[in-house]
Amino acid sequence: MSSALLEVRNLRVEFPTRRGTLRAVDDISFSIAPGEVLGVVGESGAGKSLTGAAIIGLLEPPGRIAAGEILLEGRRIDNLPYEELRKIRGRQIGAIFQDPLTSLNPLYRVGDQIIETIRTHLPLSEAQARKRAIDLLQEVGISSAAERVDHYPHQFSGGMRQRVVIALALCAEPRLIVADEPTTALDVSIQAQIITLIKRLCREHKTAVMLVTHDMGVIAETADRVAVMYAGRIAEIGPVRDVVQNAKHPYTQGLMGAIPSIGGAEERLAQIEGSMPRLTAIPPGCAFNPRCPKAFDRCRVDRPEPIPVGTTQVACWLYEDARAKEAVHG
Amino acid sequence: MAEPARMARAPGPLLRVENLTRYFDVSPPLLNRVFEGKGRLYVRAVDGVSFEIDAGETFSLVGESGCGKSTVARLVVGLYQPTRGTIDFEGVDLGSAKARAANPQMQARMQMIFQDPYASLNPRWRVGDIIAEPIRFRRILSGRAAIAERVGALLRQVGLGANDAERYPHEFSGGQRQRISIARALAGEPEFLVCDEPTSALDVSVQAQILNLMKDLQRRLGLTYLFISHNLAVVYHVSSKVGVMYLGRLVEWSETKTLFARPRHPYTRMLLDAIPDLAMSGRARTPVAGEVPSPLNPPSGCSFHPRCPWANERCKSERPEAQRVPGGGAVACHAVEEGRLPEGPAVAPPAIA
């Protein structure tokens, strides 16, 4: 796809340890179009946050990109020197993290933090930058922004702090925002406000978003496409409606069944037995095979690669036969 | 396993909480009060909450952070002392420390499961010792072999293996640790379990396992649950009755199906409306303006009035009391009482096939 804003090709993230190399993200590929919201879901340890960190260039050593390429508007950014990457980060890629308290410096007024970021990336004077900071705070829904700009982070509530972080991510008008669990620390009524805000801002600024979360509800409401991750691999990726309502991969099906729904009459939730394998003990073949109710011999030996099934891409041997048949008949 | 012996039970609810109130003193230090003329300052964490739980049912409290739901849980098991109000457990008032100390057999019948399975298990004890502690403390069994056998049975009951007793908590995942917490709670042979956000720290597939386990145990052992959660979908799934808390008060309670199909209180409607819609019916979420005010300085009258679209002068001045409504349940809202609220929409979206 040449129209992609962000393209990730065969990305692999590894952690060298004394007991061998751990592969936290293993050979994943996806792309995000301009203005598109890609949701990345998965349970803890699936590698979703590390994928985000690799794109922003904030992998904590000894974690490193071991293979693959990350392209932003056709330009490779994964092998840039630190200073080059620093210019891109903030200017072209914004970041929103889970905990708004740790992403803000408690010793500086929020206005000064926004102004500093604006002036790092844009050629504006102090006064112009301050005006822009106030406009941004207003845009993210902070009332009496002219006053609030001089307050410290502790004077804001959790939801308001997250709005400040969003303003900070937006201040250089980046093309892509990587949002890692932006609503997880917030109450449900505040969560709705923040999601609505992110959606509105992306529409107005035509910003693409990579939304990393474990909450299927947030994805269903916000994302255009969704990637489901399991043990460092993408199990399924496709348009959000198809994945949520007509999941193909047995893991996605299990995940959807495990979510309690309001109005549902089921007495028991569908449950996936066991838990995600540790990175030190990823089973051969498909990583999901020990928990998969539909696993057969091939799943225990060969690792499935994503193949197109309808509108989605699914990494599962169940669909290989269907595709082969289609090829014969078609 | 051996069923705990049930005493002949007096008719009426298992637990009746009336006008339960807990203030926390957050006053500035004495010298500041003397020299700066500052007064005493209290957080009204729980302010006049009343509800009843029948034996064998699950009563859930939902609300956003800071609404006082966890404080209610801790008051009920006796980890805090109430400022006012009564906690009536099968006709015995456990509302004061003295009453608790005088009724150890009542206290023994309730146990608690905590939110964080990483903080609530002692990392230096073997799992077997963690689970055996209530058995030893209550002198339920004596003799090493008998206790070890009981611990093994408890571990199997929560889906672990008897030989897991030899291991340490760090060797287990979050979901397995929560199973250990449940086994420890069951070791004291309680009838009443207070569960404070037992699945909030867990992944969704593990959450499903724990919720299923809790329901199985309830059916098999006849347990009664007080369930605290902020997740409305989880609450819908597990409870028979639901109470909604806002700023230390119970604003509405009702049968689960009724509450979700016909929410009455404006805050309940708002909460239900804010849930992300998995069925993708295209229903627009109506985000509610404003945030929960500080419990240090709650608004006058009905504490929800600054965010309520139907608030009027009466709501700003007069605090609404809970009124019984036809069809069971109670609501504390002037607008509902006066009938000036439009009938609530049935918010429950269809389940996903």
Side-chain angles (χ1 to χ4, degrees):
Chain A
M1 252 190 283
S2 55
S3 64
L5 173 73
L6 177 84
E7 204 168 345
V8 174
R9 288 187 197 148
N10 306 98
L11 178 70
R12 185 185 294 163
V13 175
E14 288 181 347
F15 285 81
T17 68
R18 270 177 299 174
R19 276 177 290 173
T21 304
L22 301 182
R23 206 166 275 179
V25 175
D26 193 3
D27 197 13
I28 66 169
S29 306
F30 62 88
S31 63
I32 305 179
E36 183 184 47
V37 180
L38 176 77
V40 180
V41 270
E43 301 183 274
S44 349
K48 53 192 194 306
S49 290
L50 284 173
T51 308
I55 291 168
I56 334 171
L58 287 179
L59 274 178
E60 297 245 349
R64 60 191 170 87
I65 297 177
E69 302 182 340
I70 300 170
L71 292 95
L72 185 73
E73 297 183 303
R75 175 182 172 210
R76 258 188 94 165
I77 56 166
D78 57 295
N79 55 0
L80 289 179
Y82 182 76
E83 277 305 316
E84 292 272 313
L85 192 60
R86 239 171 73 96
K87 282 182 200 146
I88 289 180
R89 196 191 300 143
R91 182 69 188 88
Q92 283 167 304
I93 307 180
I96 303 170
F97 298 103
Q98 172 171 355
D99 185 353
L101 196 52
T102 50
S103 5
L104 295 170
N105 188 330
L107 299 179
Y108 290 92
R109 300 169 205 274
V110 298
D112 293 342
Q113 301 186 43
I114 300 176
I115 291 166
E116 184 193 348
T117 315
I118 294 174
R119 297 200 63 196
T120 307
H121 296 293
L122 303 176
L124 292 179
S125 71
E126 178 81 22
Q128 287 169 318
R130 188 181 159 85
K131 184 168 178 309
R132 186 167 159 76
I134 295 172
D135 290 346
L136 274 166
L137 288 178
Q138 221 147 28
E139 195 178 351
V140 296
I142 292 177
S143 51
S144 48
E147 220 172 284
R148 296 290 262 165
V149 71
D150 289 323
H151 285 182
Y152 289 91
H154 76 265
Q155 291 168 294
F156 290 80
S157 68
M160 283 297 155
R161 263 183 226 139
Q162 197 61 301
R163 287 171 195 265
V164 173
V165 173
I166 292 172
L168 208 49
L170 282 174
C171 64
E173 297 255 318
R175 302 293 315 277
L176 173 73
I177 289 181
V178 177
D180 189 356
E181 307 268 9
T183 59
T184 306
L186 306 174
D187 276 319
V188 57
S189 69
I190 309 300
Q191 185 187 63
Q193 295 172 7
I194 297 294
I195 290 289
T196 315
L197 174 70
I198 292 179
K199 274 169 84 174
R200 176 172 65 83
L201 292 174
C202 291
R203 207 174 45 240
E204 286 170 6
H205 295 255
K206 304 244 180 328
T207 314
V209 180
M210 176 174 159
L211 177 66
V212 176
T213 176
H214 67 277
D215 190 335
M216 250 327 185
V218 170
I219 293 277
E221 206 155 75
T222 320
D224 302 309
R225 282 191 311 139
V226 56
V228 182
M229 287 191 70
Y230 185 80
R233 310 257 306 151
I234 290 181
E236 182 166 359
I237 180 169
V240 70
R241 184 172 287 271
D242 296 340
V243 174
V244 167
Q245 297 189 332
N246 187 16
K248 300 227 166 46
H249 197 284
Y251 174 64
T252 322
Q253 291 169 351
L255 200 60
M256 297 306 303
I259 303 172
S261 64
I262 290 173
E266 71 278 357
E267 183 52 27
R268 284 173 66 84
L269 296 166
Q271 66 181 52
I272 313 174
E273 296 301 334
S275 53
M276 180 133 41
R278 295 188 181 193
L279 288 180
T280 46
I282 295 203
C286 171
F288 187 59
N289 84 67
R291 302 174 73 188
C292 181
K294 295 175 185 160
F296 51 99
D297 291 343
R298 188 173 189 187
C299 306
R300 296 181 191 100
V301 190
D302 291 341
R303 196 177 76 175
E305 296 299 326
I307 53 166
V309 179
T311 50
T312 55
Q313 299 249 343
V314 187
C316 178
W317 290 123
L318 283 176
Y319 297 94
E320 182 73 3
D321 288 347
R323 202 166 68 131
K325 267 180 216 150
E326 238 170 64
V328 170
H329 294 295
Chain B
M1 62 155 285
E3 285 279 319
R6 295 266 176 266
M7 288 174 225
R9 177 172 291 135
L14 182 67
L15 179 83
R16 177 185 286 138
V17 165
E18 229 156 306
N19 195 25
L20 190 65
T21 302
R22 168 74 206 205
Y23 294 168
F24 289 104
D25 190 344
V26 291
S27 310
L30 177 70
L31 280 179
N32 294 64
R33 293 210 302 274
V34 171
F35 290 113
E36 295 168 12
K38 287 182 179 164
R40 281 202 165 270
L41 202 57
Y42 295 97
V43 172
R44 299 178 184 184
V46 176
D47 199 0
V49 166
S50 308
F51 58 86
E52 291 175 358
I53 307 179
D54 289 326
E57 75 170 4
T58 303
F59 183 86
S60 292
L61 285 176
V62 276
E64 299 180 278
S65 17
C67 72
K69 54 193 192 301
S70 289
T71 308
V72 171
R74 286 166 172 261
L75 284 167
V76 167
V77 289
L79 290 175
Y80 291 146
Q81 296 309 314
T83 307
R84 267 198 303 280
T86 57
I87 300 165
D88 182 330
F89 190 73
E90 261 193 13
V92 179
D93 182 19
L94 296 178
S96 66
K98 213 187 255 175
R100 291 227 180 232
N103 290 290
Q105 77 286 0
M106 286 296 181
Q107 183 67 54
R109 288 163 64 191
M110 50 173 86
Q111 281 292 342
M112 184 154 179
I113 300 168
F114 296 90
Q115 171 173 1
D116 185 353
Y118 291 85
S120 57
L121 301 175
N122 189 334
R124 304 179 65 169
W125 283 26
R126 289 181 197 274
V127 165
D129 291 322
I130 291 174
I131 297 174
E133 198 190 15
I135 302 176
R136 297 198 176 110
F137 179 77
R138 304 256 184 241
R139 297 176 204 277
I140 294 168
L141 288 173
S142 58
R144 190 170 297 207
I147 292 177
E149 191 183 323
R150 174 80 178 124
V151 167
L154 283 163
L155 279 169
R156 278 194 300 276
Q157 193 169 31
V158 296
L160 295 171
N163 48 358
D164 286 329
E166 291 304 310
R167 297 162 72 191
Y168 287 94
H170 76 261
E171 300 174 58
F172 295 89
S173 68
Q176 289 172 322
R177 285 180 203 220
Q178 206 57 307
R179 288 175 191 268
I180 296 168
S181 299
I182 294 173
R184 173 178 61 183
L186 293 177
E189 299 186 350
E191 298 155 50
F192 179 57
L193 280 183
V194 176
C195 318
D196 188 4
E197 305 258 18
T199 62
S200 306
L202 306 177
D203 274 318
V204 51
S205 74
V206 182
Q207 165 174 285
Q209 294 171 4
I210 297 294
L211 291 179
N212 284 342
L213 172 68
M214 288 180 60
K215 278 192 136 180
D216 292 344
L217 291 171
Q218 177 168 45
R219 208 169 27 240
R220 243 185 312 164
L221 306 177
L223 298 171
T224 308
Y225 290 134
L226 170 60
F227 193 93
I228 312 289
S229 181
H230 68 278
N231 186 328
L232 286 150
V234 166
V235 161
Y236 177 87
H237 184 73
V238 300
S239 7
S240 35
K241 278 186 204 147
V242 180
V244 180
M245 287 189 70
Y246 187 75
L247 268 189
R249 293 186 193 159
L250 192 64
V251 296
E252 175 170 9
W253 71 263
S254 163
E255 299 276 332
T256 306
K257 291 255 155 59
T258 320
L259 188 103
F260 281 87
R262 289 188 58 215
R264 290 168 192 274
H265 197 283
Y267 178 63
T268 315
R269 296 182 187 200
M270 185 210 96
L271 269 187
L272 288 179
D273 227 25
I275 307 171
D277 182 6
L278 257 183
M280 313 220 311
S281 54
R283 174 177 65 89
R285 265 216 261 189
T286 8
V288 183
E291 303 186 6
V292 183
S294 158
L296 266 179
N297 185 18
S300 63
C302 171
S303 45
F304 188 59
H305 85 253
R307 303 173 78 187
C308 180
W310 292 286
N312 64 8
E313 281 312 310
R314 185 177 175 209
C315 301
K316 285 177 192 154
S317 56
E318 189 186 329
R319 171 175 162 177
E321 294 302 325
Q323 307 274 341
R324 286 276 178 168
V325 291
V331 185
C333 177
H334 293 313
V336 170
E337 189 193 336
E338 294 163 15
R340 57 186 162 84
L341 266 191
E343 269 301 305
V347 192
I352 316 155

